[in-house]
Amino acid sequence: MTLRATDRPSGVPWYNDEKTRGVLYQVVLLAVVLFVGWWLVSNTLRNLEQRQISTGFGFLWREAGFAIAEQRIRFEPTDSYARALIVGLLNTLEVSAIGIVLATLLGTVVGVARLSTNWLIARLATVYVEVVRNIPLLLQLFFWYAFITQSLPGVREALHPLPGVFLSNRGLAVPVPEFNEGQAWALVGGAIGIAASIFLARWARKRQDATGQPFPTIFAALGLIIVFSFIGWLIGGAHSALSIPEKSGFGFSGGAELSPEFAALLIGLTVYTAAFIAEIVRGGVLAVAYGQTEAAMALGLKSGLVMRLILLPQALRVIVPPMTSQYLNLFKNSTLAIAIGFRDFVSVDDTVMNQTGQAIECVALIMAVYLTVSLLISSFMNWYNNKVALRGSTR
Amino acid sequence: MSAMDHTEEPVVLAPPGLQIGPVAWCRKNLFSSIPNTLLTLLALFLLWKLIPPLLDWLLFSAVFSGSSPDACKDAVGACWTLIGVKHRFMLFGFYTYDEQWRPLIATVILLCLICGSGYPKFWGKKLGVAWLIGLPLFGWLMWGGFWGLPLVETDKWGGLPLTVVLAAVGIVVSFPLGVLLALGRRSALPAIRTVSTAYIELIRGVPLISVLFMASVMFPLFLPEGVTINKLLRAQVGIILFTAAYQAETVRGGLQALPKGQYEAGNALGLSYWQSTLLIVLPQSLKLVIPSLVNQFISTFKDTSLVLIIGLYDFLTTTRTAVADPAWQPFYVESYAFAAIVYFGFCFSMSRYSQFLERRLGAQGRR
């Protein structure tokens, strides 16, 4: 007779059987979850009925009736709530995307600076990280916003650090290239350049696999992209007009303007997240054993190659997963925009909620949108992580 | 004896000033190469540009006296008069002015409890008893209403006590919840695992603001007719629900890091699930993640500042409100600096504490 571990020994009552208990626990948990859910829903429905609030997302198509200061797509007060929310979402995505790029750059620089052999630089980087990490982001945002709106000069006396760049209490005005149909050709040229460099990279890898001859792929690819874009630009008629901001009345005309709210949020998110990214980068570089560098140097690799082929791939393996959560944090922290009046998704949604009283739908919208984008970011980062992970390892 | 006499002059070596000592240190750490020298000079230049004006603003040209914004009219430096005039409001918000000694004592008691809990020597049953006495005492001092203290409603609470209580209660209550969720996520029972995972991932995917919004506008709709819970409690519940999900993930890290042999040993001894979890698994795995838990506490402490958005008067809100008055408005930097110093004090000491624990527990773990 074989005795299986799952068999109940004789003499043990049924309620002490591990399997029965497992089923029981799960049934109880599900019952509790369902009951609480039912209780909340029925309460809510009764309350809504009493306050005569209708449910459903029909309100989204009604006229919004409010204006939004910052818009990437046209928005008039006569447009629908749905369009207002899309405007807010685009603002959120814009500030998060730029913030992620800037925070990564700044964080990497600070993280490497903390490892510097230069005592002063390492100390300064440490002070930056410690100060920034230990002060709430909201406080930092308030500070940056107050600094921009109260301490910077007005438009007339705007700071003028670089030609065409104005810094005032109305935000930052920068020159932008004026878009012209001819420049579309430059984009086409750039695309051709990118396609050509992909083929080049494949060929270079094949040749290296076959003959061991290395090929300076990166420089060649950069060259290809630049040359093709330049040719496209020439074909399009070589337009080079810049729209340069100029003072006019109480504001600026021309160029692109960053509002004080946008600038404060962007600076705050970048500075705050960079401190965390710096720590991750430092940890990642420290995690690669020094023997790896020595081994690479013993093989005769140049220091640039040591970094690119030996250190970076190994450090990235440690860096990427925590970096993902920092990106997600930055994205979620961008919701603090509401406190300084930047019209991000939450801020627009809050206005909609106050106007329509559709609290449940509006909070559900916030959760759905942030959950979706968070999942998108983390699945992209997981894909990237799988690319840099050890071959054959599960994670 | 004469053979021992030194007939030659002793060789006098130059002091090893270039190998050790301050000069050598500078050469090694600041001027080791040309790029390094340039960097050092650049940093020194920036510091020279920054530090003297900053010190001048902070101290030498600052105004410390006076009782109105007029005192700072011609001041070049900081106007610390603001803190002198407004510190009671910044610290205690709209709490009844004559009763403000109560939140002061209550907060001190709570802080003592928190500091005491951080000291490994005190870890034990007595600490639990201390909390069981301390928290009601805190509540009595803050609310009052009996034994001679007049009642102060929670909508008058504000300032630092509110921030500390939101963080402390949030951490203390969410911790057991987080442990349960972490155990649930690693459970062998599919229904329990699914519910825990869904909860953790849902909460971690949404921003804290949305949870606070839910707490402030949706909770009233969730409850049966006639039952209302006040705003502070709603925000507190929101913070607890949010923090629990993050703590669950931290604890799960510890559970995963524990060698499988420990789980198997528990089973082999014939311990039940709860016996082996409480006696073998949790004590060891929690110890592994204490530093990350403390970091999580720091986040929670900073996150309490978000209750500003749903209209509670926490410490950040009161410091902000203090400069809302147009006469004081130009001195926003002083106000924010004050808030920043207080927050920094709390968070920095917590992070130092986490490093201390890491060293101490690390030393214990090595055999």
Side-chain angles (χ1 to χ4, degrees), chain A residues 347-362:
Chain A
S347 157
V348 173
D349 190 89
D350 187 50
T351 312
V352 175
M353 178 156 67
N354 288 334
Q355 284 195 6
T356 61
Q358 306 282 355
I360 297 181
E361 289 83 353
C362 287

Side-chain angles (χ1 to χ4, degrees), chain B residues 6-13:
Chain B
H6 293 285
T7 48
E8 296 158 50
E9 282 291 307
V11 185
V12 180
L13 292 172

